[in-house]
Amino acid sequence: MDVITLTGNLLAEWTFDIEALQAGKTHRASAMSFQVGGKGFNVSRILMRLEHSSEAIGFAGGHMGELCSAWLSNRNEAHCFFPLEQGVRPGVVVRESDTDKDETTFLGKDLPVTPEAWQAACKYVAEAGPKWLAITGSIPGWQSDWLNSLKEMAAVNPRIRICVDTYGPALSDLTRLPLELVKINRTELAKLLPDSGGMPLVEVLKLLHQNSPVQNWIITDGPQMIVAKFSNGDIFEIIPATITEVSPTGSGDTFLAAMLDGWIRNMDREQMLTHAAACATANAASPNIGDFPIPVPGCYRPQVRLL
């Protein structure tokens, strides 16, 4: 297995198409669809499009868990769920057909992961032995001592590289481990380093390396400049291509998947960043997550500069 993605906050998501959303009114959908959402599931799907073996694991239970599993199986998406007594977090997206308004999204209450389920997931990864484990999204119920399960996993199978694209308490704790890669957006960076608001991003990267054993860092900021610092000391600035944005949803997940694709294919650092930024931009120029053309057209090529 090339990559196992771990999603801490799975989403069972329905999308309703209506004419116009009005408070206090009953609405009838003209169309509806269902999908399983979550950052790790997005990353896994894009990796499969990039011709890698990938499995998405998460936490789910009950009839909702069965619905999610059936939907994934029908799409031939490899997955594994660990018990979550409350079921699955629900979500509803409302699309209005007669206005230019953005989609309106309703997310259900976060469902905390249990210590037993977290330990079972880490044991599963250790036994599966993928090249990479990507820990993504928020992890409700996170406890600091859960780092021990990851340390045990690494002891069983030290060849597994771990990358993280998460936030909140989990991120603060996970950056105490010698992870291979952390991708963080500018918003979460401000929470991780509250005093970094006025600092140039290059200086923030140096500070992150000083305060954490993480090997490689990437800071993204939507369509704005990306910065990256690698374990060999190289620092890059990446300016994504300018496009007419259609839907930015999932572009960060696309970036991470393309970085892992480049790492597995032994691209050099500049090639990886160019590839990842181009894929993320192509995703933002398309209406649905991961449905951009592969190989990515050259018009999405970013500017990459080694500092």
Side-chain angles (χ1 to χ4, degrees):
M1 182 68 64
D2 288 326
V3 182
I4 287 180
T5 64
L6 189 156
T7 300
N9 205 6
L10 183 66
L11 185 67
E13 182 179 275
W14 283 265
T15 298
F16 297 152
D17 292 338
I18 65 170
E19 288 187 4
L21 185 62
Q22 301 178 55
K25 301 292 184 179
T26 298
H27 301 81
R28 296 187 183 277
S30 59
M32 61 181 290
S33 60
F34 174 80
Q35 69 172 0
V36 177
K39 293 178 70 64
F41 288 86
N42 296 337
V43 172
S44 188
R45 286 170 197 147
I46 295 163
L47 281 166
M48 288 189 286
R49 284 206 66 206
L50 294 168
E51 301 183 345
H52 293 288
S53 57
S54 183
E55 180 179 25
I57 67 174
F59 307 92
H63 295 303
M64 289 277 282
E66 293 172 3
L67 173 64
C68 291
S69 183
W71 187 86
L72 292 165
S73 296
N74 287 338
R75 293 166 54 92
N76 295 317
E77 295 188 19
H79 64 283
C80 181
F81 292 155
F82 300 91
L84 193 65
E85 291 181 2
Q86 305 96 319
V88 179
R89 179 178 59 131
V92 175
V93 176
V94 178
R95 291 177 177 167
E96 300 177 70
S97 59
D98 66 346
T99 71
D100 294 327
K101 294 179 181 177
D102 294 332
E103 297 175 342
T104 302
T105 301
F106 302 87
L107 297 178
K109 182 179 178 181
D110 291 343
L111 304 178
V113 176
T114 65
E116 295 78 15
W118 177 260
Q119 292 168 7
C122 291
K123 181 179 179 182
Y124 179 87
V125 175
E127 293 173 351
K131 295 176 183 176
W132 283 85
L133 167 65
I135 301 174
T136 64
S138 64
I139 306 176
W142 174 266
Q143 301 174 30
S144 295
D145 61 6
W146 289 6
L147 292 180
N148 293 330
S149 296
L150 289 173
K151 292 176 182 177
E152 292 168 5
M153 182 194 75
V156 171
N157 202 326
R159 293 177 295 178
I160 300 174
R161 293 176 165 181
I162 303 176
C163 68
V164 164
D165 183 6
T166 184
Y167 47 92
L171 177 62
S172 298
D173 284 339
L174 286 165
T175 53
R176 292 159 44 196
L177 298 178
L179 307 173
E180 187 73 26
L181 172 66
V182 168
K183 185 188 84 66
I184 184 172
N185 66 40
R186 191 69 184 267
T187 302
E188 298 307 324
L189 176 65
K191 298 175 183 176
L192 184 66
L193 293 176
D195 298 329
S196 65
M199 296 175 61
L201 287 180
V202 172
E203 296 303 316
V204 175
L205 283 172
K206 294 177 181 178
L207 183 62
L208 288 169
H209 264 280
Q210 292 172 4
N211 295 338
S212 169
V214 172
Q215 299 298 300
N216 305 286
W217 289 87
I218 297 175
I219 302 172
T220 60
D221 190 14
Q224 308 305 316
M225 185 177 67
I226 301 164
V227 294
K229 188 174 191 301
F230 294 99
S231 56
N232 65 355
D234 286 348
I235 298 177
F236 289 89
E237 287 184 348
I238 307 95
I239 301 176
T242 301
I243 60 163
T244 300
E245 191 174 87
V246 176
S247 174
T249 303
S251 293
D253 303 332
T254 301
F255 185 97
L256 180 59
M259 280 296 297
L260 294 176
D261 172 47
W263 226 298
I264 294 168
R265 296 184 192 278
N266 293 315
M267 295 182 186
D268 65 36
R269 300 298 188 251
E270 183 172 345
Q271 287 176 315
M272 278 195 289
L273 291 167
T274 299
H275 173 54
C279 286
T281 301
N283 182 79
S286 63
N288 299 305
I289 298 172
D291 67 355
F292 53 88
I294 295 175
V296 175
C299 58
Y300 297 124
R301 185 178 180 86
Q303 300 176 40
V304 180
R305 183 165 71 102
L306 176 63
L307 301 183

